[in-house]
């Protein structure tokens, strides 16, 4: 056999995505180039690695075993490269982080200077909902996760980053001149919910249940951006994190309805599996966060809004 590391990499991407087209996109190659590499790799085995059924690509049982071996080989080669960099006195490796969707408004600021100071570090940042974030942490697929609600299904350690304040917001179709509305106003408004599994929805529903409010679920949308655009368009109101709507508030696209008991507050936490064995990169990043998070908040965030 005379397969190359490149062929292993191509084959692994194809099996992970069960698609030549998707693998080509991720590898920044043309589809024919991926097909040729896959064929050249397959030709070295007497047993099929993949099969096409109804125009859909499937990985055979033998192919799955080869994919696992290919992943181990690629990981070992990557480790060798990182070790070579460490002997040169450079911090190198991959930092893997999963964050909830609203975390995209804050996490880049807690990463940018660290990555600038350590250019050999690779970042794998997955932005998804809370359920998938916790799943990736449970499977030990990431070093850290960013959440606004600590999980109760897995033992974690954590460090608090900053406050996460949520307000009831709407557009300007109707004016709300009073300074402090009663919580019962929530029962009269069409409320837009985030999808199930969202940390924002969890905080929102906890407030509603604790205060025994009968709130009408007007609409349910996936992602903070979708909810924000729906509120701006006048489809309803929603309880949203301040950090994700500060520009819309400044521009006059949204307004906060002042309500007794608001803002609802949670905390952005960077979490990791309890007793996790950190890589040098993960250890260095955690130390960086502990030493610099206060300064990052001061330098990068609008304290007037955060203290609202």
């Amino acid at each position: 056999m005379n397969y190359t590391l490149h062929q292993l990499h191509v084959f692994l991407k194809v099996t992970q995505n069960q698609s030549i087209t998707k693998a080509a996109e991720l590898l920044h190659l043309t589809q024919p180039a991926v097909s040729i590499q896959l064929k050249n790799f397959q030709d070295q085995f007497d047993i099929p690695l993949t099969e096409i059924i109804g125009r859909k690509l499937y990985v055979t049982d033998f192919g799955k075993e080869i994919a696992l071996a290919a992943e181990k080989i690629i990981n070992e080669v990557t480790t060798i490269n990182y070790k070579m960099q460490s002997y040169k006195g450079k911090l190198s490796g991959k930092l893997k982080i999963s964050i909830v969707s609203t975390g995209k408004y804050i996490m880049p600021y807690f990463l940018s200077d660290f990555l600038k100071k350590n250019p050999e570090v690779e970042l794998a940042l997955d932005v998804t909902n809370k359920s998938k974030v916790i799943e990736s942490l449970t499977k030990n697929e990431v070093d850290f996760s960013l959440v606004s609600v600590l999980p109760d299904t897995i033992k974690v350690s954590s460090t608090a980053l900053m406050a996460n304040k949520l307000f009831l917001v709407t557009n300007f179709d109707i004016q709300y001149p009073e300074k402090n509305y009663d919580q019962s106003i929530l029962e009269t408004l069409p409320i837009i919910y985030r999808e199930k599994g969202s940390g924002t929805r969890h905080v929102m529903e906890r407030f509603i249940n604790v205060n025994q409010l009968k709130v009408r679920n007007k609409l349910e949308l996936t992602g903070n951006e979708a909810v924000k655009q729906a509120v701006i368009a006048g489809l309803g109101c929603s309880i949203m994190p301040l950090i994700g709507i500060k520009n819309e508030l400044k521009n006059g696209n949204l307004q906060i309805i002042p309500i007794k008991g608001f803002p609802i507050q949670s905390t952005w936490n960077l979490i990791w599996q309890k007793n996790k064995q950190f890589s040098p990169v993960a250890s260095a990043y955690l130390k960086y966060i502990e030493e610099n998070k206060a300064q990052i908040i001061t330098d990068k965030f609008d304290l007037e809004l955060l203290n609202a």
Side-chain angles (χ1 to χ4, degrees):
M1 291 188 180
N2 192 30
Y3 45 79
T4 66
L5 186 62
H6 180 59
Q7 287 173 345
L8 289 174
H9 198 191
V10 169
F11 175 66
L12 183 60
K13 283 296 181 186
V14 170
T15 59
Q16 288 173 336
N17 296 278
Q18 294 192 345
S19 166
I20 291 174
T21 301
K22 184 64 176 178
E25 291 175 3
L26 295 172
L27 292 167
H28 304 290
L29 297 172
T30 64
Q31 187 172 333
V34 170
S35 297
I36 290 170
Q37 291 298 324
L38 182 62
K39 181 180 184 303
N40 290 341
F41 187 63
Q42 170 68 81
D43 288 347
Q44 299 180 70
F45 299 90
D46 295 329
I47 303 173
L49 301 172
T50 61
E51 55 185 353
I52 303 295
I53 302 176
R55 300 183 68 180
K56 182 174 176 59
L57 184 143
Y58 294 88
V59 185
T60 65
D61 289 341
F62 179 65
K64 291 175 183 177
E65 291 186 23
I66 299 302
L68 287 174
E71 185 173 18
K72 290 178 181 178
I73 292 169
I74 291 170
N75 288 340
E76 288 298 324
V77 172
T78 302
T79 300
I80 290 171
N81 292 334
Y82 291 154
K83 286 184 176 180
M84 180 181 69
Q85 293 298 330
S86 68
Y87 271 96
K88 293 180 179 180
K90 297 179 180 179
L91 182 66
S92 63
K94 182 173 286 188
L95 181 63
K96 296 173 285 186
I97 302 176
S98 61
I99 67 173
V100 294
S101 59
T102 45
K104 67 189 174 197
Y105 299 112
I106 72 163
M107 197 64 205
Y109 298 104
F110 288 93
L111 285 164
S112 58
D113 286 346
F114 177 79
L115 295 174
K116 288 176 184 176
K117 292 175 181 176
N118 301 285
E120 302 298 326
V121 171
E122 297 179 33
L123 174 66
L125 184 65
D126 183 30
V127 182
T128 182
N129 65 24
K130 181 193 170 189
S131 296
K132 292 182 179 178
V133 164
I134 300 307
E135 181 182 351
S136 66
L137 193 70
T138 302
K139 292 180 178 179
N140 201 31
E141 295 173 344
V142 294
D143 300 308
F144 302 103
S145 293
L146 180 71
V147 296
S148 59
V149 178
L150 292 174
D152 54 14
T153 56
I154 178 177
K155 292 182 179 180
V156 298
S157 297
S158 65
T159 183
L161 293 188
M162 58 187 285
N164 179 35
K165 297 185 178 183
L166 295 89
F167 290 83
L168 179 65
V169 295
T170 185
N171 65 6
F172 279 87
D173 287 349
I174 301 175
Q175 296 298 317
Y176 293 88
E178 294 185 25
K179 292 184 177 180
N180 201 10
Y181 288 88
D182 188 81
Q183 295 170 358
S184 61
I185 192 176
L186 284 164
E187 298 180 326
T188 69
L189 299 171
I191 302 297
I192 301 173
Y193 277 62
R194 280 286 304 275
E195 77 281 6
K196 292 181 180 178
S198 158
T200 297
R201 177 166 177 156
H202 176 85
V203 174
M204 175 177 167
E205 288 185 327
R206 183 174 61 191
F207 178 86
I208 290 170
N209 292 334
V210 166
N211 291 281
Q212 299 180 335
L213 300 170
K214 295 180 180 179
V215 174
R216 178 161 60 100
N217 186 341
K218 169 71 174 179
L219 188 63
E220 184 174 307
L221 295 171
T222 301
N224 194 68
E225 288 298 319
V227 172
K228 182 164 57 179
Q229 293 305 317
V231 174
I232 292 173
L235 295 180
C237 309
S238 192
I239 296 173
M240 303 189 70
L242 181 63
I243 196 69
I245 57 173
K246 58 181 183 178
N247 290 332
E248 287 72 21
L249 292 172
K250 288 181 177 179
N251 296 336
N253 293 319
L254 292 176
Q255 63 172 319
I256 291 174
I257 303 177
I259 298 179
K260 180 181 177 181
F262 275 71
I264 309 171
Q265 183 165 312
S266 60
T267 302
W268 289 112
N269 286 282
L270 194 68
I271 64 175
W272 59 93
Q273 277 207 44
K274 207 170 188 65
N275 302 319
K276 181 175 175 60
Q277 298 298 310
F278 284 132
S279 67
V281 168
S283 293
Y285 181 66
L286 183 57
K287 181 181 179 182
Y288 166 82
I289 286 296
E290 295 288 8
E291 293 176 350
N292 295 279
K293 60 183 179 181
Q295 192 61 48
I296 292 170
I297 293 171
T298 300
D299 293 343
K300 305 295 186 182
F301 293 94
D302 188 332
L303 295 181
E304 183 179 345
L305 275 176
L306 293 179
N307 291 327

